[in-house]
Amino acid sequence: MTVTRTGEHAQDVDPRRWWGLVIIALAQLMVVLDATIVNIALPSAQEDLGISDGNRQWVITAYTLAFGGLLLLGGRIADLVGRKRTFVIGLVGFAAASALGGAATTAGMLFGARALQGVFAAVLAPSALSLLTTTFTDPKERGKAFGIYGALAGSGSAIGFIVGGLLTEYLDWRWCLYVNVPIAVIAVFGALALLHDSPGHAGARLDVPGVLLGCGGLVAIVYGFAEAEPRGWTDPMVLTLFVVGVALLAGFVRWQTRAPVPLLPLHIIKDRNRAGCFLTMALAVIGMFGLFLFMTYYLQVILDYSPVMTGLAFLPLTAAIITGSTQIAARLLDHVAPRLLMAPGALLAAIGMVLLTRLTVHSSYASDILPALILMGLGMGLIFMPVFATATAGVAPQDSGVTSATVNTSQQVGGSIGTALLNTIATTSSAAYITAHLTDPAQRAPVTEEGIVHGYTVAIWWAAAIMLLAGVIAALMVTAKPPKQGAAQETPIPESVA
């Protein structure tokens, strides 16, 4: 137990710290994977539970909304009760919610279980990143650790498609939820044995008004994007949701300047580099999550791929994200400024998306889809790893939990907005195309397929534009130096912890 009492430098020589990283990464993979693992299982779950077409999106959105909306609270809980304890509580709760979802007998029960998963993921994710930040303080080891973590954070969504396809085709859609239980059990025992943490901060308190304002604003905005699909952008309810969401978020910012212990201390987002990282992450994920949804349905509905084939089709994307994060970004971050990785990464990903705008009902995977997935994966890998490392560097110990939560919030909120916004653009574009081109009722099937693909390509153009904007934000706002040059800035942190 002397390791936990002798400061950060003792942790640097803890021979079990890399096994601790395995446990942290396993938990993070489970959390990120669950945002997409049910995508391929959706048709089976929808048929089994009688979910309507209009409501099926909530299987995904209930999770990402609860996750993104409550992450800041999760970060403060980690600061209050201790990161290791919060980590274990999150794992146990996530496993229980997953078992409940797997046993769901109604649509409402499944939606509720997915929301509960999001709640515990919001507790688990920030404590995981905080533990990683305090375990690896040496700049060189920190780069390797964040490379692995960033690869899992970025590729977990794609891995979810592969695992979801295998489980759906060979077992049952319910196993897409049940699979979390054994993973969580392993992670709990590993955490208890391998992870170390200082006690929680006695002065930390929970900002309940901040939670209500911030979470309420995010839910209203994402719900507005979701409702714009069936109702239209000018519908009074949709406009009201947007107005209420913006008002609540404005109230949240105003309250944070007055709260005794703010949920999100504004000095964290006033830092230029962190603000740039948060915005870059949110914008990049808006494009990526929307694209996952389109490509899943394109491969299964248009090209008639099986669930397993659909999952395997995403494997090159996963490999490219891991390569970009661990073999390129992690090796270069010690020598080049983070924005020199993030901005080119966004450009690469945008080029990959533009290639996908050429999709037709007869496109070939090898020539039309594969090159785009590889470019997107490499680009996203170059974004994720520097964002995680830069946003959490040099943070005061009492703010490490909430800073980690803000990184994850930008990722999940971006995913929620991306799924709702781009899906709405795609469906409205498809409907307009079909209405304009369906002159012969006998041609309904081929025209409908063409209309669906047209909607996807229009939305992908928007995704590419948003990805380019992420690159511009990174280039202009993230001015941090390479970690080796800025290492001296981080030395006060271990001293204050010790």
Side-chain angles (χ1 to χ4, degrees), residues 32-231:
V32 177
L33 179 148
D34 245 69
T36 56
I37 192 172
V38 298
N39 270 276
I40 294 177
L42 257 180
S44 301
Q46 182 180 359
E47 182 180 355
D48 196 11
L49 300 180
I51 304 172
S52 69
D53 288 345
N55 287 332
R56 66 185 177 188
Q57 63 160 323
W58 288 108
V59 176
I60 299 169
T61 312
Y63 178 79
T64 55
L65 263 181
F67 191 2
L70 294 173
L71 266 167
L72 290 173
L73 177 64
R76 273 303 177 211
I77 292 174
D79 289 337
L80 179 64
V81 304
R83 302 177 191 104
K84 178 178 176 179
R85 185 180 301 173
T86 306
F87 185 77
V88 172
I89 291 171
L91 284 169
V92 173
F94 196 90
S98 299
L100 179 65
T105 55
T106 65
M109 186 175 173
L110 179 59
F111 299 158
R114 289 288 287 167
L116 196 59
Q117 277 186 306
V119 170
F120 283 105
V123 173
L124 178 60
S127 57
L129 189 51
S130 295
L131 286 166
L132 180 65
T133 303
T134 55
T135 299
F136 294 93
T137 54
D138 177 75
K140 184 173 290 188
E141 287 195 346
R142 185 185 177 93
K144 292 179 182 178
F146 272 98
I148 296 170
Y149 185 89
L152 287 170
S155 63
S157 299
I159 294 173
F161 287 114
I162 300 170
V163 176
L166 290 168
L167 293 174
T168 301
E169 187 158 333
Y170 294 113
L171 291 173
D172 183 70
W173 68 266
R174 297 178 184 276
W175 278 96
C176 292
L177 295 163
Y178 285 143
V179 71
N180 293 317
V181 177
I183 295 176
V185 169
I186 293 170
V188 165
F189 283 109
L192 294 174
L194 298 169
L195 298 180
H196 304 287
D197 186 30
S198 57
H201 296 283
R205 287 191 294 172
L206 300 183
D207 177 15
V208 176
V211 172
L212 296 176
L213 289 168
C215 186
L218 292 173
V219 169
I221 288 175
V222 175
Y223 190 49
F225 280 124
E227 286 298 303
E229 178 187 352
R231 296 174 179 271

Side-chain angles (χ1 to χ4, degrees), residues 40 161 164-166 168-170 296 299-301 303-313:
I40 294 177
F161 287 114
L166 290 168
T168 301
E169 187 158 333
Y170 294 113
T296 300
L299 292 170
Q300 287 198 73
V301 176
L303 298 188
D304 200 28
Y305 279 28
S306 69
V308 169
M309 286 299 296
T310 301
L312 292 175

Side-chain angles (χ1 to χ4, degrees), residues 347-368:
L347 179 61
L348 269 182
I351 292 172
M353 290 178 176
V354 169
L355 292 179
L356 289 177
T357 61
R358 305 178 304 165
L359 289 178
T360 68
V361 294
H362 303 296
S363 290
S364 162
Y365 176 81
S367 60
D368 299 320

